[in-house]
Amino acid sequence: MLGHMGLSIGQVAERTGLSVHALRFYEKEGILAHQVHRGPGGRRVYTEQDLAWLRMCIMLRMSGMPVPEIRRYTDLVRQGDGNEPQRLDILKEHQERVRQQMAQLQECMDLITHKVSMYEDYVNSIDARAVAQ
Amino acid sequence: MLGHMGLSIGQVAERTGLSVHALRFYEKEGILAHQVHRGPGGRRVYTEQDLAWLRMCIMLRMSGMPVPEIRRYTDLVRQGDGNEPQRLDILKEHQERVRQQMAQLQECMDLITHKVSMYEDYVNSIDARAVAQ
DNA sequence: CTACGAAGTAGAGCCGACTCTAGGTCAAGA
DNA sequence: TCTTGACCTAGAGTCGGCTCTACTTCGTAG
């Protein structure tokens, strides 16, 4: 309905997979890089840039970055040029956490895979015996 | 203090990294394969088997299996032989979820790594300019 | 004795990240 | 005209997984 000039909160929800509740929550929490413009009736109008930023936030959340830390990062970006080293620090720290999380997950995966194959062997051997009878 | 015959809750907490609170919580939630034996004064005495089971539960939790699902699995094990296919189902479903989670995490990692290298390049170029002056 | 530390139970509290409710505005369609 | 549906705000509620509190009971060390 808003055409190429902007997206309604519902459209953004649809495109991002977030709920409209979550979108308002994120805004209140200050993790949107720039203030969302308002259209007639005080309705939110999102730009493609807002959408792009949101998609990055979603990635950060998915990988376990807490909302307050996303806000710290967002604040730096909002403040403009000059604090790139601090932004880099936040990203590198998070990168390291994600790396560890993946390693941990891989360890779990190995155990699970091992158990799965044990059970598969067992279940197959039962089936084979049943067929033989 | 309990020697080779068993471990106190404190010792298990130390060995597993769980808190004593969490250990009691897990027991209450019924995710221990076998009832924990009690020593003098009603104190819990854990065997090495309990410890091994706990370590597996920790892996399942770490990889995001909810406590109720661990209980379902535990219940099957407690029931004894004959339900191996159901146990296998639970494990395979979880395995698939972990697989997806890892793929997601890898996607996030790629984005973060990309941003990190962009910021590193930028910060280095600033440094280089400063040195040149 | 007294005090300490580690254990026990039952149940309340906390935290993060949403999610939902209540009550209202507004525009378009039947 | 009336209803529907998407949106608005402020604030309450939910859920999972612990974590903590309050109070008790032991066994040992000073």
Side-chain angles (χ1 to χ4, degrees):
Chain A
M1 305 304 169
L2 293 157
H4 65 286
M5 33 242 309
L7 299 157
S8 71
I9 195 169
Q11 290 173 317
V12 174
E14 216 174 304
R15 276 167 182 65
T16 58
L18 295 171
S19 68
V20 295
H21 299 297
L23 284 167
R24 291 195 275 247
F25 170 74
Y26 281 3
E27 186 177 336
K28 212 167 40 180
E29 291 294 300
I31 70 174
L32 270 60
H34 305 291
Q35 205 175 321
V36 182
H37 175 241
R38 296 307 178 107
R43 296 181 169 205
R44 289 169 179 84
V45 180
Y46 294 83
T47 64
E48 284 296 332
Q49 282 161 31
D50 293 332
L51 201 55
W53 182 265
L54 266 169
R55 289 199 222 274
M56 193 200 49
C57 290
I58 290 167
M59 286 298 213
L60 295 177
R61 281 292 307 118
M62 267 179 21
S63 52
M65 186 184 280
V67 168
E69 191 165 350
I70 301 183
R71 180 167 45 224
R72 283 202 292 127
Y73 181 73
T74 303
D75 285 348
L76 290 171
V77 172
R78 262 200 294 259
Q79 281 167 32
D81 293 356
N83 55 27
E84 287 79 2
Q86 284 140 275
R87 298 185 206 172
L88 182 54
D89 280 353
I90 291 179
L91 292 176
K92 281 175 98 168
E93 262 174 51
H94 184 59
Q95 185 181 39
E96 177 54 21
R97 280 196 305 266
V98 175
R99 212 190 49 66
Q100 285 176 15
Q101 204 190 328
M102 286 181 70
Q104 229 177 27
L105 223 46
Q106 184 58 58
E107 229 189 299
C108 300
M109 191 51 145
D110 291 346
L111 173 69
I112 294 162
T113 299
H114 179 241
K115 287 199 86 84
V116 162
S117 68
M118 275 179 35
Y119 272 114
E120 269 174 346
D121 287 355
Y122 179 72
V123 168
N124 286 341
S125 78
I126 295 284
D127 289 354
R129 226 168 295 165
V131 166
Q133 280 173 359
Chain B
M1 303 305 169
L2 292 156
H4 65 287
M5 34 242 309
L7 300 156
S8 71
I9 195 168
Q11 290 172 318
V12 173
E14 216 174 305
R15 275 167 182 67
T16 58
L18 295 172
S19 68
V20 296
H21 300 296
L23 285 167
R24 292 195 274 245
F25 170 74
Y26 281 3
E27 184 177 339
K28 212 167 38 178
E29 291 295 299
I31 70 175
L32 270 60
H34 304 290
Q35 207 176 318
V36 181
H37 175 241
R38 298 305 180 107
R43 297 182 171 208
R44 289 170 180 85
V45 180
Y46 293 84
T47 64
E48 285 295 333
Q49 283 161 30
D50 293 330
L51 200 56
W53 183 264
L54 266 169
R55 289 200 223 274
M56 192 199 50
C57 290
I58 289 167
M59 286 297 212
L60 296 177
R61 281 291 305 120
M62 268 180 19
S63 52
M65 187 184 279
V67 168
E69 190 164 351
I70 301 182
R71 179 167 47 224
R72 283 200 292 127
Y73 182 74
T74 303
D75 285 347
L76 289 172
V77 171
R78 260 200 296 261
Q79 281 167 32
D81 294 354
N83 55 27
E84 287 79 3
Q86 284 140 274
R87 298 186 207 172
L88 182 54
D89 281 351
I90 290 178
L91 292 176
K92 281 175 98 170
E93 263 174 50
H94 184 58
Q95 185 181 39
E96 177 55 20
R97 280 195 305 264
V98 175
R99 211 190 50 66
Q100 286 175 15
Q101 204 190 329
M102 287 181 71
Q104 231 177 25
L105 224 45
Q106 185 57 59
E107 229 188 301
C108 300
M109 190 51 144
D110 291 345
L111 173 69
I112 293 162
T113 299
H114 179 241
K115 288 197 85 84
V116 162
S117 68
M118 274 179 35
Y119 272 112
E120 270 174 344
D121 288 354
Y122 178 71
V123 169
N124 285 341
S125 77
I126 295 284
D127 289 355
R129 227 167 294 166
V131 166
Q133 282 173 355

